[in-house]
Amino acid sequence: MEHIGGLLSVGATWSAVPFGAQTPGEEIRVAAMHDPPYVAIYPQPDGSYRYGGYLYELWQVIARELHLRYRVVPLLAGGYGSMDENGSWTGLVGELAYRRADIALTWIDTRQDRATVVDYIDAVPVELSQYTFYVRQGSGAIPQITPSMFSSLLRPLHSDVWCALLVSLLVVSVVLRASLRFNHERAEGRDTVRDMTWGACLLSSFMSVVGQGWASTPNSLAARTVTISSWVLGTLIYVNYTANLISYLAVVTVEKPISSLREFSEQLGWTFAVEPGIGILNDWKVSSDPYERELSRRAVSRDGFLALNLTAQSVNRTTQDKVMTYTDIRRLFYAGVSEACELVPLLSSMPPKLASYMGIAKGRDEMRQAINQVMRKMNQAGTLSRMKKQWLATNQDMCDSPANFKELSCADLLAVLVIMPLALISCVVILLGEYAWSKMRSMQHDGKTAPCRYWRLSSHNGKGTVLNAWAAKIQI
C-alpha cells in the first residue's frame, strides 16, 4: 500500500507497462499556478515550494501510473493564458506554446485560438466551468412609483388572455342588453329593462370577473343564461388570476443595479473584474459588440479594471457595489467569501457549462495518449469523482434560504396599495369635470331659453314688461 496525495494505492497499477516515451534521464516540466483548490502553491522558508490541490493530486496518480519523473515549475503571474496586444501568448498557455513546459496543471476551455499552439488532455474533463457576469444585488431601498410597476398586476395572465377577456366582457354586455331589450314584456320586467342600460350591463359583466354580485338580476331565461355564463367565466378568471398572482409574488426576485453591458459602460464609477489571462478576452477584443470591446480595452489599459488574482483583497472587492465580475461563482466560494451570496447574474439566462481540460505541449502525442488512457480508467473506477468531492466541495448551499415562504414586502404590494389613492384622485378629477360640464350646459341652456321667456312676457304685457324682465335679470 502507498499513499498518493490523499489517496491510498492498493495492488498493482492500471498501466500494463511503464510509459516508454520518456527519454532516460528526461524530467517532465509541469507548469502550475496558484489556483486553489485546483492547485495550491505554498512558498517555504528555504525558497522552495510545497504543492497541493485537486489537480496536483490527480497528477501524482498519473505520474505514478506512468512512472514519470517530473519537476513542477511555478508560474507566479500570467493566469490561464491569452494573447496580448503584441500577439504573444501569456500564462500557462504561453509556457506550453513556447516550450518552457510540457504539462500544464490547470483547467482551460477548448478554444480554437489556443488549439493552434497547445493540445488538450481531452479524454475526460477535469472540471465543468460556467463563467458569466455578476453584480452585487441592489439594496432594499424605498420602491419608486413608476408606470412599469403596474405591469406586475398584469403578469399573472398572458396578454392573449387579457385580450380574450376584454372581448368576452364586451360580448357578454351586448348579448345581455339585447336579451333584455328585445324580450317580450311578460318575460322581463320594465324596471329591469330600464335599469340595466348599456353601461349597467358592461359594469355587471366586469363585476362578474372581480367576484362581485349584481344589484339586480334579469327574469327571462335568455338573460339569465347570459348571466350564469358571465358568472362562470368570472369565477374561472378570478380563481386563476388570484392563484397566479400569489405564485408570482411568492417568487424571490432580486434587484440589480444594472441589467446589461450597455448600462455598465454608460454609468460612471463602475469597475470590471476578471481573472488574468482568461481566454474570452481574445473574443472581446475583436467582437462586433462595442460594449464587449470596452471590456477588452479596460483589461489592457487597466482603467476601471480589477485583476481578479484570487487574493483576499481582490476577491473581497468583487462583492462591493459598482463592481461587475466575470467569473465562475464557485471561485469566490472556494476563496471563502461568504458575501458571494450577495452576487447575482447580470444577464437573465445562464450560459451552458463548458468542459475544461489540462493542457499539454504540441508534439507530445504519445504522452498525451498514455495520460488519456489513465484518465479514462480513473474515471471508470470513480477516482475522479472522489477527488472532486474531496477538493471541490463549496459552501454555496449556505445562500439558500431555509424559509419555506416569502414575506411580501411593500415593493411587492405597492402596485396594489396605490390603486385606492389613484382611484380617489381620479374620482375627484372626474367629479370636477362633471361639475364644470353641468355648469357649462346650464349656462348654455339659460342662454337659449331666456329670449323665449322674454318674448312671451312681451306678447302678454307689452314692451314695459320686457324691460322690467331684463332689469330683473341684470339684478339677479
Side-chain angles (χ1 to χ4, degrees), residues 421-435:
L422 291 179
L424 294 177
I425 295 175
S426 302
C427 179
V428 172
V429 173
I430 294 174
L431 178 62
L432 294 177
E434 290 179 343
Y435 178 76

Side-chain angles (χ1 to χ4, degrees), residues 28-50:
I28 296 178
R29 299 161 300 176
V30 179
M33 69 175 184
H34 186 66
D35 186 19
Y38 301 95
V39 177
I41 302 177
Y42 306 102
Q44 302 299 303
D46 59 357
S48 61
Y49 295 94
R50 181 171 59 87

Side-chain angles (χ1 to χ4, degrees), residues 292-323:
E292 291 183 349
R293 293 198 303 270
E294 168 64 16
L295 300 181
S296 176
R297 185 198 66 80
R298 291 195 181 205
V300 173
S301 64
R302 296 298 192 266
D303 179 22
F305 178 77
L306 172 65
L308 186 58
N309 50 18
L310 300 181
T311 61
Q313 181 180 3
S314 65
V315 170
N316 288 328
R317 280 284 308 278
T318 61
T319 61
Q320 297 180 2
D321 295 332
K322 287 199 169 186
V323 176

Side-chain angles (χ1 to χ4, degrees), residues 1 39-40 64 87 153-154 158 187 295 298 306 308 313 323 330 365 376 380 402 408 436:
M1 296 185 182
V39 177
R64 177 184 179 275
L153 298 177
L154 303 178
H158 193 268
L295 300 181
R298 291 195 181 205
L306 172 65
L308 186 58
Q313 181 180 3
V323 176
R330 295 174 301 169
D365 294 336
R376 291 190 190 96
Q380 294 171 359
L408 296 180

Side-chain angles (χ1 to χ4, degrees), residues 165-214:
L165 178 60
L166 178 60
V167 174
S168 300
L169 293 179
L170 295 177
V171 171
V172 167
S173 60
V174 170
V175 174
L176 178 60
R177 177 56 185 171
S179 63
L180 293 172
R181 176 66 178 81
F182 299 105
N183 215 321
H184 55 86
E185 297 181 356
R186 288 179 296 177
E188 198 65 68
R190 294 182 178 180
D191 295 339
T192 304
V193 176
R194 183 184 65 253
D195 295 339
M196 299 196 69
T197 60
W198 289 106
C201 290
L202 182 60
L203 180 61
S204 297
S205 61
F206 174 76
M207 293 172 64
S208 298
V209 175
V210 296
Q212 300 297 318
W214 293 11

Side-chain angles (χ1 to χ4, degrees), residues 352-378:
K353 293 184 178 182
L354 301 178
S356 302
Y357 306 92
M358 291 192 296
I360 187 171
K362 288 281 189 181
R364 307 305 297 262
D365 294 336
E366 190 173 353
M367 180 186 296
R368 174 171 168 265
Q369 294 175 5
I371 296 176
N372 275 333
Q373 181 180 0
V374 175
M375 291 282 291
R376 291 190 190 96
K377 293 181 178 180
M378 293 179 66

